């Protein structure tokens, strides 16, 4: 289950950090970011896996962990990301929020109205 979660959340960190690489240490940092996100109530009920209810929060936590690791290892190639990481957790949190909000979504396909009646020219 954690591998599926990482598959969905891992790309955000390297993308935002312009790392150009995903090292083994970055993968470990991403994996280690997940267990603390499991809620205490879920653990008490015997649930040990994260749900997708908070996928945005999970993506953000994984992205931050990966970016911090990338900076430590010298893989971060983006000045604004390096500045955000250097300013502390609260600033990085806000920066990642803005970046996630500004991500470009692919264009949606145009839908034609199939119920339109067309008349043929005479």
């Amino acid at each position: 289950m954690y591998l599926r979660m990482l598959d969905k959340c891992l790309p955000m960190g390297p993308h935002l950090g312009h790392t150009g690489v995903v090292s083994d240490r970055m993968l470990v940092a991403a994996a280690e970011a997940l267990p603390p996100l499991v809620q205490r109530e879920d653990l008490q009920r015997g649930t040990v896996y994260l749900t997708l209810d908070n996928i945005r929060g999970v993506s953000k936590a994984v992205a931050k962990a990966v970016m911090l690791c990338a900076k430590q290892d010298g893989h971060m190639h983006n000045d604004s990301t390096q500045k955000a990481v250097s300013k502390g957790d609260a600033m990085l949190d806000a920066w990642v929020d803005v970046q996630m909000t500004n991500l470009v979504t692919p264009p949606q396909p145009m839908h034609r109205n199939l119920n339109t009646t067309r008349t043929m020219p005479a």
Side-chain angles (χ1 to χ4, degrees):
M1 178 62 173
Y2 279 144
L3 289 177
R4 286 186 185 162
M5 186 68 73
L6 282 178
D7 184 43
K8 304 291 183 215
C9 300
L10 178 64
M12 184 69 62
H15 172 72
L16 294 179
H18 297 267
T19 64
V21 66
V22 177
S23 68
D24 288 344
R25 280 185 27 86
M26 291 163 68
L27 288 171
V28 169
E32 289 175 346
L34 295 176
L37 300 175
V38 178
Q39 300 296 317
R40 178 171 291 178
E41 299 81 31
D42 291 336
L43 288 174
Q44 289 172 344
R45 286 193 317 253
T47 305
V48 294
Y49 297 114
L50 292 165
T51 64
L52 295 178
D53 296 343
N54 185 22
I55 190 69
R56 186 175 179 83
V58 172
S59 294
K60 186 165 127 179
V62 170
K64 287 172 45 182
V66 169
M67 287 189 293
L68 289 169
C69 182
K71 185 172 188 317
Q72 290 171 353
D73 292 352
H75 295 304
M76 190 173 287
H77 307 295
N78 180 293
D79 291 338
S80 66
T81 308
Q82 287 185 18
K83 288 178 188 174
V85 169
S86 299
K87 290 185 179 181
D89 194 54
M91 289 299 290
L92 179 58
D93 216 38
W95 186 86
V96 171
D97 274 339
V98 169
Q99 300 308 310
M100 288 175 73
T101 302
N102 291 336
L103 286 176
V104 177
T105 56
Q108 299 299 313
M110 301 274 295
H111 295 285
R112 294 186 356 198
N113 185 351
L114 299 178
N115 294 327
T116 302
T117 305
R118 293 186 182 185
T119 58
M120 299 296 285

